[in-house]
Amino acid sequence: GEWESRSIWNEEESIRVLNVYPLQPYLETWMTTTISDTELPAGKGIFDIDSVYLPTFNQDPRSYLCDETGAWKYDVLFFGSSDCNSNIDLSSASADAVHEFVDDGRGVLFGHDTICVNFGHTNFCTFADELGILVKYDTTVIPTTSVSVTKIGTMTNFPWQIRGTLEVPACHSYGQYVGGTLTGTEWMTLNTTQRIDEATGSHSNFYLVTNKNLGMIQTGHSNGNALTVCRNDVENILNVIAANS
């Protein structure tokens, strides 16, 4: 039947987001850019966004995550977005702090080339199992500008409705697999050749995957170049991860 959106958001409280960026703080720009043919910004005013450079965050992560009482300051973290994640991994201290953040029910969205063993991102990769994906050394890169919605639900309905086959800036997966016996939920797939992992039956080249309060989106291969669909995807997933936190 017809989808009816029911949100716990009261249209007054904002979702507090920390963008831990490896190159430039694109997220705030994306969320405040007016969507074509509308009078609304991509973020619809839902988000209160702070930004911090990833190497700076790595030096003292808890000083950015916590207030003076030790309480978490944010509902959601977004790591990204840059090609190769600018070859920067989380520090071990950052990974420990973010795992604690997640265990307390807060949300995290990982951007392109973050959870990726090919770049030696050992600490980012510690989130792979909890996200419900497989990461392995596989340097096959098959970029595409075409993605398709594979699952209908809150992630593709609120606050923007996303359907069908859509154009995005070029992106790809890089040794990341979803499906089969894995627990991650694929919402959008990249329309290009997919490799199969025989042990799990999972496939490469997903665009958007979530599991509970964690998500990963492949936006970032083209760095700050984000078309309307990319901005809407990021907005939807940040909102839903916050609601599930």
Side-chain angles (χ1 to χ4, degrees), residues 133-201:
I133 65 172
L134 169 70
V135 290
K136 63 180 185 177
Y137 188 75
D138 175 3
T139 58
T140 304
V141 176
I142 312 173
T144 182
T145 58
S146 177
V147 302
S148 290
V149 174
T150 57
K151 180 177 175 62
I152 302 299
T154 307
M155 200 69 66
T156 51
N157 280 288
F158 180 82
W160 298 99
Q161 187 174 97
I162 301 172
R163 292 289 188 276
T165 298
L166 305 156
E167 182 183 359
V168 299
C171 62
H172 60 86
S173 70
Y174 200 36
Q176 301 131 354
Y177 289 70
V178 71
T181 61
L182 304 176
T183 57
T185 298
E186 183 181 29
W187 294 89
M188 300 179 75
T189 194
L190 294 166
N191 295 318
T192 187
T193 302
Q194 295 181 331
R195 294 169 64 86
I196 304 297
D197 175 71
E198 294 184 1
T200 62

Side-chain angles (χ1 to χ4, degrees), residues 16 62 65-67 70-74 97-98 100-102 104 106:
R16 298 165 299 170
R62 291 183 185 276
L65 295 176
C66 303
D67 63 20
W72 302 119
K73 293 166 59 178
Y74 299 99
V98 175
E100 185 178 337
F101 183 87
V102 171
D104 279 350
R106 305 289 169 141

Side-chain angles (χ1 to χ4, degrees), residues 13-245:
E13 293 184 26
S14 60
I15 295 171
R16 298 165 299 170
V17 181
L18 179 63
N19 177 199
V20 187
Y21 64 91
L23 182 64
Q24 295 290 335
Y26 297 123
L27 181 63
E28 187 170 6
T29 299
W30 292 346
M31 292 302 98
T32 55
T33 298
T34 301
I35 297 300
S36 301
D37 302 323
T38 77
E39 296 180 355
L40 296 172
K44 289 192 174 183
I46 294 173
F47 303 106
D48 182 2
I49 301 172
D50 292 332
S51 304
V52 59
Y53 184 41
L54 178 52
T56 304
F57 177 81
N58 279 338
Q59 292 175 11
D60 189 3
R62 291 183 185 276
S63 69
Y64 295 96
L65 295 176
C66 303
D67 63 20
E68 61 277 2
T69 70
W72 302 119
K73 293 166 59 178
Y74 299 99
D75 302 304
V76 185
L77 308 180
F78 174 43
F79 290 99
S81 201
S82 172
D83 191 26
C84 310
N85 202 54
S86 295
N87 294 296
I88 307 172
D89 190 15
L90 286 172
S91 66
S92 58
S94 292
D96 289 345
V98 175
H99 275 292
E100 185 178 337
F101 183 87
V102 171
D103 291 343
D104 279 350
R106 305 289 169 141
V108 180
L109 174 59
F110 298 95
H112 181 71
D113 286 341
T114 50
I115 303 177
C116 183
V117 70
N118 298 330
F119 297 113
H121 292 169
T122 304
N123 293 313
F124 271 123
C125 287
T126 61
F127 293 89
D129 288 346
E130 198 167 357
L131 180 56
I133 65 172
L134 169 70
V135 290
K136 63 180 185 177
Y137 188 75
D138 175 3
T139 58
T140 304
V141 176
I142 312 173
T144 182
T145 58
S146 177
V147 302
S148 290
V149 174
T150 57
K151 180 177 175 62
I152 302 299
T154 307
M155 200 69 66
T156 51
N157 280 288
F158 180 82
W160 298 99
Q161 187 174 97
I162 301 172
R163 292 289 188 276
T165 298
L166 305 156
E167 182 183 359
V168 299
C171 62
H172 60 86
S173 70
Y174 200 36
Q176 301 131 354
Y177 289 70
V178 71
T181 61
L182 304 176
T183 57
T185 298
E186 183 181 29
W187 294 89
M188 300 179 75
T189 194
L190 294 166
N191 295 318
T192 187
T193 302
Q194 295 181 331
R195 294 169 64 86
I196 304 297
D197 175 71
E198 294 184 1
T200 62
S202 58
H203 63 268
S204 65
N205 277 325
F206 64 80
Y207 177 67
L208 173 60
V209 63
T210 65
N211 190 35
K212 299 179 181 177
N213 53 330
L214 295 181
M216 183 173 188
I217 191 166
Q218 297 295 359
T219 301
H221 176 69
S222 300
N223 294 328
N225 183 17
L227 301 179
T228 296
V229 65
C230 284
R231 296 194 294 268
N232 290 4
D233 288 338
V234 173
E235 200 274 353
N236 280 19
I237 190 172
L238 287 172
N239 181 76
V240 173
I241 286 176
N244 286 336
S245 299

